[in-house]
Structures are given as structure tokens and as C-alpha cells.
Amino acid sequence: MAGHQDPNYVSENPFEGRGRAMQGNDFPDAGYGFAIGGGFFIVLFVIAMIVEFATR
């Protein structure tokens, strides 16, 4: 176990700031990213299908 006597113990990272890491769940953020990315490619696919049917 890491303790204060351990030379690898880091008490505070000055680059983290006062807020530290987000305490919330990452699942909703991952879901939003998946939906937005997937939606973008679905929109591109639909546009390509419309162009294909329009040029027949």
C-alpha cells in the first residue's frame, strides 16, 4: 500500500487544479459521443442515398 513514507507517493498534482477529476458517471458521456458520431455517419449515408437515387 502506498503511504506517506513511499517515495512514489504523490500528494497533489499541481496540474489537476482544485476540482480534481469529474465525479460523475462516464456512461452518459460515452453514449452521447456514440450517438453523435453514429448520427453523423447515418446523415452522410442518407445524403449519399438521396444523391444516388436522384442521379438515376
Side-chain angles (χ1 to χ4, degrees):
M1 297 184 79
H4 293 287
Q5 304 301 326
D6 187 355
N8 294 323
Y9 181 77
V10 178
S11 62
E12 184 175 342
N13 185 348
F15 298 105
E16 283 183 341
R18 301 297 286 161
R20 303 285 176 148
M22 186 181 78
Q23 298 297 320
N25 193 347
D26 290 336
F27 184 74
D29 293 334
Y32 298 146
F34 183 78
I36 291 170
F40 174 74
F41 286 108
I42 289 171
V43 167
L44 288 180
F45 180 76
V46 169
I47 291 172
M49 295 302 292
I50 290 170
V51 169
E52 181 183 350
F53 285 127
T55 57
R56 281 189 176 186

